[in-house]
Amino acid sequence: ETGVTQSPTHLIKTRGQQVTLRCSSQSGHNTVSWYQQALGQGPQFIFQYYREEENGRGNFPPRFSGLQFPNYSSELNVNALELDDSALYLCASSLAGNLKGYNEQFFGPGTRLTVL
Amino acid sequence: QKEVEQDPGPLSVPEGAIVSLNCTYSNSAFQYFMWYRQYSRKGPELLMYTYSSGNKEDGRFTAQVDKSSKYISLFIRDSQPSDSATYLCATDKAAGNKLTFGGGTRVLVKP
């Protein structure tokens, strides 16, 4: 069973640029959530995708957008990068809708984004 | 004020000691409570989750939730140097995995 993978590992961009981060879900999972973790802070929920539709969003501006593909992999896009966007971006996958109550969410290792 | 507050530490303990971690939260709608462990340069991994109030034990780990005081605790018995990590509490209003995290507590277990 393959775990959650993310690419790239590290990325350096300049202010105003656009970035795309990628995530492959754990096998069999249909839900992907994205989190932003600033240095020394806990992760903050950005949004979640379930079966290719956005299924909830945290307090992030519209320049943060996402996609989920039929194979349940996902992308996070950030436009007009700002210095404060520098953070570790975490992707997490889970299996929703199987009526088992709580379903564990598995995190990937993250993409470290630095905005200069 | 953040919805989930957690002392950032660092918390330094000798090997074999009990590690006591806690969080407070403000939103009474939270029903699920989790503890994650995060090693440096890794994603968080789930240690335990609890639904509503009560205690839950798993090996050396015990999680407690007191919804009346909005207080979450994690105890690690017989701590090991390999327990050195950042511990994150997290909450959810439903079992939907849209988590609200605390800021994390760094723990260092010294041999």
Side-chain angles (χ1 to χ4, degrees):
Chain A
E1 187 178 84
T2 308
V4 179
T5 59
Q6 293 186 242
S7 62
T9 305
H10 297 92
L11 204 51
I12 299 175
K13 292 284 189 179
T14 56
R15 196 170 46 181
Q17 285 188 311
Q18 179 266 342
V19 69
T20 297
L21 310 181
R22 294 179 174 83
C23 170
S24 289
S25 304
Q26 184 163 310
S27 177
H29 286 180
N30 56 15
T31 302
V32 173
S33 302
W34 286 90
Y35 293 83
Q36 180 195 66
Q37 186 175 24
L39 196 62
Q41 305 292 319
Q44 278 195 283
F45 175 71
I46 302 174
F47 45 56
Q48 183 183 92
Y49 279 82
Y50 171 62
R51 293 185 174 177
E52 303 177 57
E53 296 286 331
E54 188 177 289
N55 182 42
R57 188 179 185 93
N59 189 26
F60 280 82
R63 60 189 184 85
F64 286 78
S65 63
L67 280 173
Q68 188 182 29
F69 300 100
N71 66 355
Y72 302 129
S73 65
S74 178
E75 285 183 356
L76 164 65
N77 299 289
V78 187
N79 292 323
L81 284 167
E82 301 177 0
L83 298 178
D84 284 349
D85 295 334
S86 294
L88 181 69
Y89 287 85
L90 295 161
C91 165
S93 74
S94 58
L95 177 62
N98 65 357
L99 304 179
K100 279 178 63 179
Y102 178 70
N103 294 290
E104 183 176 352
Q105 183 170 218
F106 294 86
F107 282 83
T111 293
R112 172 76 59 191
L113 173 65
T114 301
V115 182
L116 302 176
Chain B
Q1 185 186 7
K2 293 182 179 179
E3 284 192 291
V4 181
E5 298 276 4
Q6 186 174 4
D7 189 323
L11 180 62
S12 183
V13 300
E15 183 175 355
I18 294 175
V19 176
S20 175
L21 303 165
N22 56 74
C23 292
T24 58
Y25 65 94
S26 57
N27 192 336
S28 58
F30 291 136
Q31 298 287 339
Y32 290 82
F33 305 91
M34 297 89 172
W35 284 96
Y36 283 83
R37 178 175 62 196
Q38 186 174 24
Y39 291 114
S40 181
R41 303 183 188 279
K42 301 281 189 181
E45 58 175 327
L46 181 68
L47 286 174
M48 302 184 72
Y49 83 92
T50 309
Y51 172 67
S52 194
S53 283
N55 295 354
K56 191 171 186 178
E57 191 172 315
D58 184 1
R60 297 186 295 114
F61 299 91
T62 299
Q64 292 182 348
V65 176
D66 183 348
K67 289 190 70 179
S68 63
S69 58
K70 298 187 178 68
Y71 197 82
I72 315 164
S73 300
L74 178 71
F75 301 96
I76 307 173
R77 291 181 297 280
D78 188 24
S79 58
Q80 305 295 311
S82 58
D83 293 327
S84 298
T86 295
Y87 290 81
L88 297 154
C89 62
T91 61
D92 199 356
K93 294 175 187 175
N97 282 319
K98 299 165 191 170
L99 304 184
T100 301
F101 280 89
T105 300
R106 263 187 62 210
V107 172
L108 179 61
V109 181
K110 294 183 176 179

